[in-house]
Amino acid sequence: MRTLTLLGSTGSIGRQTLEVVDALGERLPFRVLALTAGSNADLLLKQARKHRPLMVALAEPSAAAPVASELCSLGVDVKTGPEGVLAAARLGADLVLNAIVGFAGLEATLAALAAGSTVALANKESLVAGGELVVRSLDAGKGPLVPVDSEPSAILQCLRDAAARSGLARVILTASGGPFRGLHGEALRRVTPAQALAHPTWRMGSKITVDSATLMNKGLELIELVWLFRLRPEQVRVVIHPESVVHSMVELVDGSVLAQLGVPDMRIPIQYALTYPERLPSPWPRYDPVARGPLTFFEPDLESFPCLRLACEAVRIGNTAPAALNAANEVAVEAFLKEQIPFTAIAGLVEETLRRHEPESASSLEAVRRADRWARQTARRLVERGTWR
Ligand code: NDP
Ligand code: MG
């Protein structure tokens, strides 16, 4: 039986992962070693009752108190704070699935790799901010690291054949375009958090849903792909594909294009990450090309959605620029969700933070943390002063 640690088990990806584990059942049994959350102790307790992990961790220390005694009576070791989450990541499970949201996930990815676990990575921010550190660990023989997100999973699936990999010319990364495709100017400035959270094709956590609406999500994925598949940024072409059926394509040197298709349902790529490198039958919805209708593709509108352009700039600048971009974006998304800034100010805040950033080498965790801290402070100050106006 394989052992599994699930970081971020109470989130959208975390909950769907447990659904996939249940559906795989005896065909691919997992022993859950640890579950972690930010502050949602009630759901964590429910999950612990069912899966009986050795350990649970809550990043928010005060969240644990109401559930600690019941967890202890179940024989579960309760840890708290970021260190507690890292302890779970370090348990040495066969597979650590990292579904934490944001920069908070980076150290857990590094800790799990260092402990010798295979990492199934949903937390793209790990690679955006700390790509060099993660890749160094993989080059030292740790891992492997298997992407969970549908687009990098699609590319991995297209490239499984080694011959395809050596013949790779470029990657065509698809984006749904989010709920505001076609809007610009004042109409875009006035969109509300509730509208941003109503994604047309995917049901996800709030941060990534806003990232999808600004196209920053595609920018973060572009950076993720550069590290995962060792690409040059110009080898990634982003196209808008509102149906979210083609999860990405790879173009080979002879002009052949391989694509991976499926209905937009994260349980399919999550299952692939859990069964990798094998495949097992699944109960998840099937793609019917006739019922789904035409598949369409468009150029992204970089003028109305500058976040994608900013992510391209950050990855070209390199060093700590992507970490600064990521941190400024996390602050800006939070400020937008709290209605402190308008939607279009997200890009403005990120751009201004990036403009002020003096990148340094991103080859140490300390440098990446420093850039992250600096960019958060800078972006928060910009929010407070209303400099985005
Ligand atoms: P959610 O917000 O739904 O879940 C995030 C999880 O992380 C929750 O378990 C949350 O706990 C936990 N968490 C929050 N803050 C911290 C912290 N500081 N330390 C430790 N744990 C924390 O996000 P998603 O599941 O949507 O996304 C997770 C990651 O997967 C993101 O990086 C996202 O970009 C990526 N991803 C998501 C997809 C999706 O379909 N949802 C698709 C592809 C990628 P709590 O519940 O207590 O707040
Ligand atoms: Mg994606």
Side-chain angles (χ1 to χ4, degrees):
M1 193 185 286
R2 294 174 80 204
T3 52
L4 171 71
T5 285
L6 177 53
L7 308 172
S9 63
T10 53
S12 159
I13 293 287
R15 294 188 311 264
Q16 293 181 85
T17 300
L18 290 175
E19 238 185 280
V20 174
V21 166
D22 283 347
L24 285 169
E26 287 310 310
R27 294 176 302 139
L28 186 66
F30 282 99
R31 162 91 178 92
V32 178
L33 285 194
L35 298 171
T36 80
S39 60
N40 189 346
D42 290 341
L43 180 54
L44 192 65
L45 172 62
K46 237 190 207 165
Q47 293 174 338
R49 279 193 201 119
K50 178 164 177 197
H51 294 278
R52 297 302 176 99
L54 299 179
M55 181 190 287
V56 301
L58 282 150
E60 173 53 53
S62 61
V67 293
S69 68
E70 181 170 352
L71 284 166
C72 290
S73 69
L74 292 173
V76 179
D77 185 9
V78 182
K79 304 269 187 208
T80 56
E83 271 309 316
V85 174
L86 289 181
R90 281 195 199 104
L91 277 176
D94 297 318
L95 184 67
V96 174
L97 193 145
N98 185 353
I100 294 173
V101 61
F103 182 77
L106 169 62
E107 280 186 66
T109 298
L110 295 172
L113 289 173
S117 300
T118 294
V119 171
L121 189 70
N123 178 261
K124 60 191 82 179
E125 296 90 344
S126 284
L127 279 168
V128 170
E132 191 173 337
L133 303 171
V134 174
V135 162
R136 194 195 298 152
S137 175
L138 295 174
D139 285 348
K142 300 296 186 186
L145 185 144
V146 185
V148 169
D149 199 355
S150 55
E151 296 84 352
S153 172
I155 293 162
L156 175 71
Q157 294 178 51
C158 292
L159 289 177
R160 271 305 302 285
D161 169 356
R165 189 159 190 140
S166 62
L168 176 68
R170 64 174 178 165
V171 160
I172 301 173
L173 173 61
T174 52
S176 71
F180 306 136
R181 190 170 58 89
L183 291 191
H184 36 250
E186 192 53 23
L188 195 57
R189 211 184 80 84
R190 291 157 64 110
V191 298
T192 63
Q195 290 170 314
L197 290 176
H199 194 277
T201 47
W202 297 101
R203 294 282 154 271
M204 311 177 284
S206 55
K207 192 257 177 184
I208 182 175
T209 306
V210 175
D211 285 346
S212 299
T214 59
L215 287 197
M216 181 59 95
N217 183 50
K218 226 31 63 174
L220 300 179
E221 286 179 6
L222 184 148
I223 301 173
E224 181 184 25
L225 295 183
V226 164
W227 287 110
L228 265 180
F229 300 107
R230 322 287 165 107
L231 302 170
R232 284 173 279 112
E234 51 284 8
Q235 280 179 292
V236 184
R237 172 167 182 203
V238 174
V239 297
I240 303 296
H241 169 49
E243 296 81 17
S244 301
V245 164
V246 177
H247 298 310
S248 279
M249 310 177 222
V250 300
E251 183 188 313
L252 306 178
V253 284
D254 60 1
S256 239
V257 176
L258 308 181
Q260 188 262 346
L261 284 69
V263 295
D265 187 318
M266 280 307 296
R267 292 171 299 186
I268 297 171
I270 289 172
Q271 171 162 325
Y272 184 67
L274 291 180
T275 63
Y276 177 86
E278 311 297 334
R279 283 186 193 275
L280 285 178
S282 88
W284 316 125
R286 303 285 135 161
Y287 172 54
D288 177 336
V290 177
R292 280 261 160 185
L295 302 179
T296 57
F297 301 91
F298 306 95
E299 283 296 343
D301 173 0
L302 296 186
E303 236 170 77
S304 298
F305 300 92
C307 284
L308 175 57
R309 169 178 61 76
L310 294 171
C312 293
E313 281 172 27
V315 73
R316 287 209 178 89
I317 297 168
N319 291 323
T320 51
L325 167 108
N326 178 66
N329 181 58
E330 288 188 24
V331 170
V333 169
E334 203 185 317
F336 166 68
L337 288 172
K338 289 184 181 155
E339 301 188 354
Q340 294 166 342
I341 62 168
F343 181 75
T344 44
I346 296 174
L349 273 175
V350 172
E351 182 153 31
E352 183 56 23
T353 307
L354 208 51
R355 195 182 66 75
R356 295 182 187 194
H357 183 56
E358 290 173 14
E360 59 173 317
S361 161
S363 60
S364 75
L365 181 58
E366 199 29 60
V368 173
R369 273 212 210 103
R370 199 158 47 235
D372 176 83
R373 255 193 325 265
W374 174 89
R376 269 168 216 279
Q377 281 164 2
T378 304
R380 278 198 197 106
R381 233 174 281 133
L382 292 171
V383 171
E384 281 157 18
R385 291 182 192 157
T387 318
W388 41 267
R389 277 190 195 92

